């Protein structure tokens, strides 16, 4: 994230921006909430006629889009301008058809954050992995999505060996 973006990168603004962002809006994706510390996000994928597949259930691409780029945006909000944060890879396991609106919850735990900070303090790359369970309104798991991120402290913010001694 660049320095100028840091000033406006607030949960309410991010929520609004993503809710009107054409790829999310068109897919029926809506941010329901973002916690003040960016540690929790709740989202919904509305079943609409235009995001149904040939079997009249949720289109798999929309389910996958529901989880992209949420963890990257969360970590950008948590870590701020000192870090590069990108999605690196992802996979999805479709467990059952999505026959209704779907929901996903995203969380970054204190333990995960401490591990990221520890690994990246001197400039090392970190590849945290997250699992998201996309569920229907009854709480049944429809799909499991694995996301791996790339996180690295920008060179100007890395600790040097002189500072560590």
């Amino acid at each position: 994230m660049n320095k100028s973006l840091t000033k406006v990168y607030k949960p309410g603004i991010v929520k609004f921006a993503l809710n009107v962002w054409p790829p999310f809006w068109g897919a029926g994706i809506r941010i329901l909430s973002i916690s003040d510390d960016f540690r929790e996000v709740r989202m919904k994928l509305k079943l609409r006629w235009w995001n149904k597949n040939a079997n009249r259930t949720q289109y798999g691409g929309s389910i996958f889009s529901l989880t992209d780029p949420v963890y990257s945006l969360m970590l950008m909000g948590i870590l701020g301008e000192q870090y590069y944060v990108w999605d690196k890879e992802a996979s999805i396991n479709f467990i059952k058809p999505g026959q209704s609106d779907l929901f996903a919850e995203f969380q970054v735990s204190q333990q995960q954050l401490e591990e990221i900070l520890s690994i990246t303090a001197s400039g090392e790359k970190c590849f945290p992995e997250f699992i998201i369970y996309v569920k229907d309104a009854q709480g049944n798991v429809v799909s499991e999505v694995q996301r791996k991120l790339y996180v690295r402290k920008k060179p100007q913010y890395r600790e040097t060996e002189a500072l560590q001694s």
Side-chain angles (χ1 to χ4, degrees), residues 48-84:
R48 299 180 189 255
W49 66 267
W50 65 80
N51 66 359
K52 289 181 182 180
N53 62 24
N55 295 309
R56 311 291 296 152
T57 60
Q58 287 279 12
Y59 174 64
S62 295
I63 296 172
F64 201 50
S65 293
L66 176 66
T67 67
D68 180 33
V70 182
Y71 274 112
S72 290
L73 296 173
M74 290 171 73
L75 285 177
M76 287 170 65
I78 294 167
L79 299 172
E81 68 182 72
Q82 295 185 7
Y83 288 82
Y84 296 116

Side-chain angles (χ1 to χ4, degrees), residues 144-155:
E144 178 184 287
V145 181
Q146 175 273 333
R147 293 237 165 230
K148 181 186 279 189
L149 276 61
Y150 168 99
V151 181
R152 191 171 192 188
K153 206 169 210 183
K154 293 178 181 176

